[in-house]
Amino acid sequence: MRVLDASAFIHEYDADGSTASVPEVREELTDSAAFRFDAASGSGMQVHVPGQDARERVRRAATTTGDDDVLSETDRRLLATAHELDATLVTDDYAMQNVADELGVDVDVIAQDGINERRDWRFQCQGCGREFDDDRDRCPVCGSPLERKNPG
Protein backbone atom coordinates (compact mmCIF):
# COMPACT_ATOMS: atom_id res chain seq x y z
CA MET A 1 0.00 0.00 0.00
CA ARG A 2 1.10 3.57 -0.72
CA VAL A 3 0.14 6.62 1.38
CA LEU A 4 -0.04 9.67 -0.88
CA ASP A 5 1.06 13.19 0.02
CA ALA A 6 -0.29 16.22 -1.89
CA SER A 7 2.74 16.11 -4.20
CA ALA A 8 1.56 12.73 -5.51
CA PHE A 9 -1.63 14.34 -6.83
CA ILE A 10 0.14 17.47 -8.06
CA HIS A 11 2.72 15.47 -10.05
CA GLU A 12 0.21 12.82 -11.24
CA TYR A 13 1.96 9.95 -9.44
CA ASP A 14 0.73 6.60 -10.73
CA ALA A 15 0.64 4.16 -7.82
CA ASP A 16 0.53 0.43 -8.43
CA GLY A 17 -1.77 -1.33 -6.00
CA SER A 18 -3.78 0.04 -3.12
CA THR A 19 -3.48 3.63 -1.90
CA ALA A 20 -4.47 5.77 1.05
CA SER A 21 -4.30 9.41 2.05
CA VAL A 22 -5.72 11.70 4.74
CA PRO A 23 -8.61 14.19 4.46
CA GLU A 24 -6.26 17.14 5.07
CA VAL A 25 -4.44 16.45 1.77
CA ARG A 26 -7.66 17.18 -0.15
CA GLU A 27 -7.88 20.57 1.60
CA GLU A 28 -4.39 21.48 0.29
CA LEU A 29 -5.21 20.74 -3.34
CA THR A 30 -6.76 22.90 -6.06
CA ASP A 31 -7.76 22.51 -9.70
CA SER A 32 -6.79 19.26 -11.44
CA ALA A 33 -4.86 17.94 -8.42
CA ALA A 34 -8.04 18.17 -6.31
CA PHE A 35 -9.92 16.39 -9.08
CA ARG A 36 -7.29 13.59 -9.06
CA PHE A 37 -7.72 13.19 -5.27
CA ASP A 38 -11.51 12.99 -5.65
CA ALA A 39 -11.21 10.49 -8.51
CA ALA A 40 -8.79 8.32 -6.52
CA SER A 41 -11.01 8.32 -3.43
CA GLY A 42 -14.01 7.48 -5.62
CA SER A 43 -12.18 4.54 -7.16
CA GLY A 44 -10.98 2.84 -3.99
CA MET A 45 -8.31 4.98 -2.35
CA GLN A 46 -8.72 4.73 1.41
CA VAL A 47 -9.13 8.10 3.16
CA HIS A 48 -7.70 7.32 6.57
CA VAL A 49 -7.73 9.10 9.92
CA PRO A 50 -4.80 7.81 12.02
CA GLY A 51 -5.23 6.94 15.68
CA GLN A 52 -3.83 8.85 18.62
CA ASP A 53 -1.09 6.25 19.31
CA ALA A 54 0.34 6.55 15.80
CA ARG A 55 0.20 10.36 15.93
CA GLU A 56 2.06 10.30 19.27
CA ARG A 57 4.78 8.05 17.78
CA VAL A 58 5.21 10.54 14.94
CA ARG A 59 5.52 13.40 17.43
CA ARG A 60 8.22 11.53 19.37
CA ALA A 61 10.10 10.60 16.19
CA ALA A 62 9.95 14.19 14.90
CA THR A 63 11.25 15.44 18.24
CA THR A 64 14.12 12.94 18.04
CA THR A 65 15.12 14.04 14.53
CA GLY A 66 14.57 17.75 15.21
CA ASP A 67 11.90 18.08 12.53
CA ASP A 68 8.97 18.65 14.91
CA ASP A 69 8.75 22.38 14.24
CA VAL A 70 8.71 22.05 10.43
CA LEU A 71 6.02 19.39 10.04
CA SER A 72 2.45 20.50 9.36
CA GLU A 73 -0.51 18.69 10.88
CA THR A 74 -1.13 17.14 7.45
CA ASP A 75 2.47 15.87 7.38
CA ARG A 76 2.06 14.34 10.83
CA ARG A 77 -1.17 12.59 9.85
CA LEU A 78 0.36 11.21 6.66
CA LEU A 79 3.33 9.84 8.59
CA ALA A 80 1.02 8.36 11.23
CA THR A 81 -1.13 6.76 8.53
CA ALA A 82 1.88 5.20 6.78
CA HIS A 83 3.16 3.92 10.12
CA GLU A 84 -0.24 2.61 11.22
CA LEU A 85 -1.00 0.87 7.91
CA ASP A 86 2.58 -0.43 7.49
CA ALA A 87 2.60 1.33 4.12
CA THR A 88 5.08 3.19 1.93
CA LEU A 89 4.87 6.97 2.17
CA VAL A 90 4.93 8.82 -1.16
CA THR A 91 6.36 12.32 -0.67
CA ASP A 92 9.04 14.74 -1.79
CA ASP A 93 9.19 16.46 1.61
CA TYR A 94 12.65 16.02 3.17
CA ALA A 95 11.51 16.51 6.78
CA MET A 96 8.84 13.84 6.29
CA GLN A 97 11.42 11.50 4.78
CA ASN A 98 13.70 12.09 7.76
CA VAL A 99 10.95 11.28 10.28
CA ALA A 100 9.80 8.31 8.19
CA ASP A 101 13.33 6.89 8.43
CA GLU A 102 13.20 7.26 12.23
CA LEU A 103 9.84 5.42 12.25
CA GLY A 104 11.03 2.66 9.92
CA VAL A 105 8.54 3.71 7.22
CA ASP A 106 9.57 3.17 3.59
CA VAL A 107 9.42 6.20 1.27
CA ASP A 108 8.96 6.65 -2.48
CA VAL A 109 9.88 10.05 -3.92
CA ILE A 110 8.19 11.66 -6.90
CA ALA A 111 9.90 14.66 -8.47
CA GLN A 112 12.89 15.18 -6.14
CA ASP A 113 15.84 13.08 -5.06
CA GLY A 114 15.21 11.32 -1.76
CA ILE A 115 17.30 11.92 1.34
CA ASN A 116 20.74 10.32 1.44
CA GLU A 117 20.98 10.14 5.21
CA ARG A 118 18.83 10.82 8.23
CA ARG A 119 19.65 13.96 10.19
CA ASP A 120 19.17 14.58 13.87
CA TRP A 121 19.05 18.38 13.88
CA ARG A 122 20.75 20.52 16.51
CA PHE A 123 19.62 23.94 17.68
CA GLN A 124 22.01 26.84 18.11
CA CYS A 125 21.47 29.99 20.16
CA GLN A 126 21.68 33.08 17.99
CA GLY A 127 23.10 35.05 20.92
CA CYS A 128 25.68 33.00 22.79
CA GLY A 129 26.21 30.21 20.23
CA ARG A 130 25.48 27.31 22.59
CA GLU A 131 24.00 24.21 20.96
CA PHE A 132 21.11 22.09 22.19
CA ASP A 133 19.65 18.74 21.10
CA ASP A 134 16.05 19.82 21.56
CA ASP A 135 14.12 22.78 20.18
CA ARG A 136 13.12 25.52 22.61
CA ASP A 137 11.67 28.97 22.10
CA ARG A 138 14.62 30.68 23.77
CA CYS A 139 18.10 29.87 25.04
CA PRO A 140 17.95 28.97 28.75
CA VAL A 141 21.32 30.71 29.26
CA CYS A 142 20.98 34.09 27.52
CA GLY A 143 17.35 34.21 26.34
CA SER A 144 18.11 34.62 22.61
CA PRO A 145 16.13 32.67 19.97
CA LEU A 146 17.36 29.27 18.74
CA GLU A 147 17.81 28.31 15.11
CA ARG A 148 17.83 24.83 13.60
CA LYS A 149 21.35 23.85 12.53
CA ASN A 150 22.56 21.13 10.19
CA PRO A 151 24.33 18.55 12.40
CA GLY A 152 26.98 17.79 9.76
Side-chain angles (χ1 to χ4, degrees):
M1 173 176 277
R2 306 246 187 278
V3 174
L4 307 178
D5 187 6
S7 57
F9 299 100
I10 293 167
H11 294 289
E12 301 181 48
Y13 178 81
D14 187 22
D16 293 332
S18 58
T19 58
S21 193
V22 296
E24 293 80 7
V25 165
R26 174 59 175 90
E27 297 168 14
E28 294 180 352
L29 300 172
T30 59
D31 303 327
S32 59
F35 175 76
R36 283 190 284 281
F37 182 97
D38 293 340
S41 63
S43 62
M45 179 182 75
Q46 180 181 354
V47 179
H48 185 79
V49 177
Q52 183 61 37
D53 288 346
R55 292 194 318 261
E56 178 58 26
R57 284 186 208 149
V58 167
R59 187 197 62 74
R60 286 193 310 264
T63 299
T64 297
T65 64
D67 293 298
D68 192 45
D69 61 333
V70 296
L71 293 178
S72 70
E73 186 58 29
T74 303
D75 297 341
R76 294 171 199 284
R77 289 176 182 261
L78 285 161
L79 283 158
T81 294
H83 182 66
E84 198 169 65
L85 299 178
D86 194 27
T88 298
L89 178 64
V90 178
T91 186
D92 281 337
D93 184 288
Y94 290 131
M96 289 177 66
Q97 292 175 42
N98 206 34
V99 176
D101 184 69
E102 174 69 15
L103 290 167
V105 170
D106 291 334
V107 174
D108 278 351
V109 294
I110 303 160
Q112 306 287 329
D113 291 333
I115 63 172
N116 294 327
E117 62 184 34
R118 192 185 97 205
R119 294 191 175 160
D120 291 332
W121 295 97
R122 306 245 329 139
F123 299 89
Q124 185 172 29
C125 174
Q126 297 305 294
C128 67
R130 286 184 174 84
E131 291 186 11
F132 302 93
D133 290 332
D134 55 331
D135 191 14
R136 309 167 189 199
D137 287 335
R138 301 246 168 232
C139 175
V141 178
C142 74
S144 296
L146 300 183
E147 186 173 283
R148 189 165 87 155
K149 177 183 174 188
N150 189 335

